[in-house]
């Protein structure tokens, strides 16, 4: 596995642990819809939350959350729609972004959680 994939997987684990500590229940991690994926799917109260996790070693190329661009959102909308239909959900839904800056070797990562991010 490429080093950037290892970093991304680590970031997803960090984000899932962070969200659990905030009271979320993680339903799915790295859920696949064809070649698209949803990093985390969780429950917050009665709301199903779809979470994109962006992990970077540092800020050399900007903030991690800035990588959630038009194309990424378009792919996520397709995957989220598939998940909703597949699971026949009637819950309220929300889209969040969690950014993680650091590496497993650097100690405590910096985490930012953006709730209810517009998808359009």
């Amino acid at each position: 596995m490429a080093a950037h994939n290892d970093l991304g997987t680590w970031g997803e684990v960090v984000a899932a642990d962070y969200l659990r500590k905030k009271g979320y229940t993680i339903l799915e991690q790295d859920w696949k819809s064809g070649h698209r994926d949803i990093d985390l799917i969780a429950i917050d109260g009665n709301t199903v939350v779809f979470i994109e996790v962006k992990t970077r070693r540092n800020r050399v190329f900007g903030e991690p959350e800035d990588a959630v661009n038009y194309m990424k959102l378009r792919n996520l909308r397709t995957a989220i729609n598939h998940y909703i239909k597949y699971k026949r959900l009637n819950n309220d839904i929300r889209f969040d972004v969690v950014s993680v800056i650091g590496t497993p070797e650097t100690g405590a990562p910096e985490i930012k959680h953006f709730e209810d991010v517009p998808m359009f």
Side-chain angles (χ1 to χ4, degrees):
M1 184 181 288
H4 72 276
N5 289 338
D6 290 342
L7 184 66
T9 300
W10 173 79
E12 289 176 13
V13 170
V14 166
D17 289 345
Y18 169 84
L19 293 168
R20 280 187 197 97
K21 289 176 185 166
K22 287 183 71 172
Y24 289 57
T25 300
I26 305 299
L27 300 176
E28 310 270 359
Q29 188 165 341
D30 200 27
W31 188 83
K32 303 273 190 240
S33 172
H35 66 277
R36 298 171 179 94
D37 72 312
I38 303 170
D39 292 334
L40 298 171
I41 303 170
I43 293 283
D44 179 25
N46 292 319
T47 302
V48 176
V49 185
F50 298 92
I51 303 138
E52 177 67 12
V53 179
K54 287 297 178 191
T55 307
R56 300 290 183 269
R57 294 180 190 288
N58 53 48
R59 290 187 174 83
V60 169
F61 297 106
E63 297 294 328
E65 61 272 14
D66 293 340
V68 183
N69 58 24
Y70 171 80
M71 287 300 292
K72 184 65 180 174
L73 289 172
R74 190 175 82 175
N75 285 331
L76 282 165
R77 283 193 302 268
T78 300
I80 289 168
N81 188 47
H82 178 202
Y83 186 86
I84 290 168
K85 288 179 180 176
Y86 176 71
K87 295 290 185 170
R88 299 179 182 190
L89 296 180
N90 287 323
N91 305 63
D92 288 335
I93 63 167
R94 188 176 84 216
F95 175 64
D96 290 4
V97 175
V98 174
S99 77
V100 179
I101 298 174
T103 67
E105 299 80 28
T106 58
E110 181 182 333
I111 301 168
K112 288 193 247 174
H113 182 191
F114 303 89
E115 294 184 24
D116 203 13
V117 175
M119 296 224 41
F120 296 94

